[in-house]
Amino acid sequence: MVDMYGFEVGMEVVGTLRELHVYASVSKADVSGLGTGPMLTCMLAASKAHCVPEGNVASCVHFEPVQLRVGVLMAVRVQLGSTQIIWLADMTDPEIWQAIERWKREKAMPIVVGVKNGDGWNYHTYLVPMPTYELSIEGDLPKMPRWEVEALWMGMTSPATRYIVQARAQSDKTLEHVFVYPLLTAKMSELRAEPDD
């Protein structure tokens, strides 16, 4: 069973930053020189396999702020053909900024989309061209306050936030499918691992 966004009910719907080699050997991706670099990942239900483009497709990435009542998130908006995938991250999380600097140096951002296939997964790997110039959101970073991390995580995982970001998705290209994921970094993993009072 899947929900209205195409995710399997009961499946933990988050995006992650992982080392590319974890999936590259499985998907047989041509990622020479990027094997230890960070990649963005996400998962989709089998019923949404048609949303995942095959082979080389036109792709691009944009980084934008998303204002919430509890703070500001970073939206990493990736277009793969007519599908757009958006990862929501803490704007001040050093892990995402380290990844951005690495992607700038490599001039490419690795993306891995896992599609459920029976008891396993089919992995689709893409190398999205990465802009090397200073991002517009970088200028605001020194002035950015340190927001309450738990409140940010609750905001980025909220179905309401996901719905709003999805509804506001824009593109100068054909846009048929949009998926939104909170980005589970080490910082956020530590937060989730804390025992309840």
Side-chain angles (χ1 to χ4, degrees), residues 16 18 20-29 39-44 52-55 111-117 119-126:
T16 60
R18 301 284 301 278
L20 182 57
H21 70 79
V22 174
Y23 294 111
S25 59
V26 176
S27 59
K28 298 180 174 59
M39 63 177 180
L40 282 171
T41 74
C42 63
M43 298 179 178
L44 282 175
V52 181
E54 297 285 350
I111 304 292
V112 173
V113 180
V115 180
K116 189 67 173 174
N117 181 18
D119 294 331
W121 298 87
N122 290 335
Y123 297 111
H124 303 261
T125 306
Y126 309 90

Side-chain angles (χ1 to χ4, degrees), residues 60-76:
C60 61
V61 59
H62 298 279
F63 298 84
E64 302 167 348
V66 175
Q67 180 70 57
L68 300 181
R69 181 178 57 82
V70 296
V72 180
L73 300 178
M74 177 195 301
V76 183

Side-chain angles (χ1 to χ4, degrees), residues 15-162:
T16 60
L17 271 172
R18 301 284 301 278
E19 290 188 356
L20 182 57
H21 70 79
V22 174
Y23 294 111
S25 59
V26 176
S27 59
K28 298 180 174 59
D30 181 13
V31 289
S32 56
L34 300 176
T36 60
M39 63 177 180
L40 282 171
T41 74
C42 63
M43 298 179 178
L44 282 175
S47 62
K48 294 297 179 180
H50 65 281
C51 302
V52 181
E54 297 285 350
N56 295 325
V57 296
S59 61
C60 61
V61 59
H62 298 279
F63 298 84
E64 302 167 348
V66 175
Q67 180 70 57
L68 300 181
R69 181 178 57 82
V70 296
V72 180
L73 300 178
M74 177 195 301
V76 183
R77 184 162 56 87
V78 174
Q79 184 95 12
L80 301 170
S82 61
T83 295
Q84 191 172 114
I85 304 174
I86 303 170
W87 287 265
L88 300 176
D90 175 359
M91 182 74 83
T92 63
D93 192 330
E95 189 173 350
I96 185 63
W97 286 105
Q98 290 167 6
I100 287 172
E101 290 306 310
R102 176 65 181 267
W103 296 330
K104 282 185 175 182
R105 291 196 301 270
E106 303 291 352
K107 300 180 181 179
M109 171 193 285
I111 304 292
V112 173
V113 180
V115 180
K116 189 67 173 174
N117 181 18
D119 294 331
W121 298 87
N122 290 335
Y123 297 111
H124 303 261
T125 306
Y126 309 90
L127 289 180
V128 179
M130 178 70 185
T132 57
Y133 51 79
E134 181 174 316
L135 306 175
S136 60
I137 59 173
E138 292 185 64
D140 295 329
L141 190 60
K143 300 175 290 185
M144 196 70 63
R146 294 297 188 264
W147 305 99
E148 165 55 45
V149 177
E150 185 173 1
L152 281 178
W153 177 250
M154 292 180 64
M156 71 174 68
T157 56
S158 164
T161 299
R162 191 169 70 185

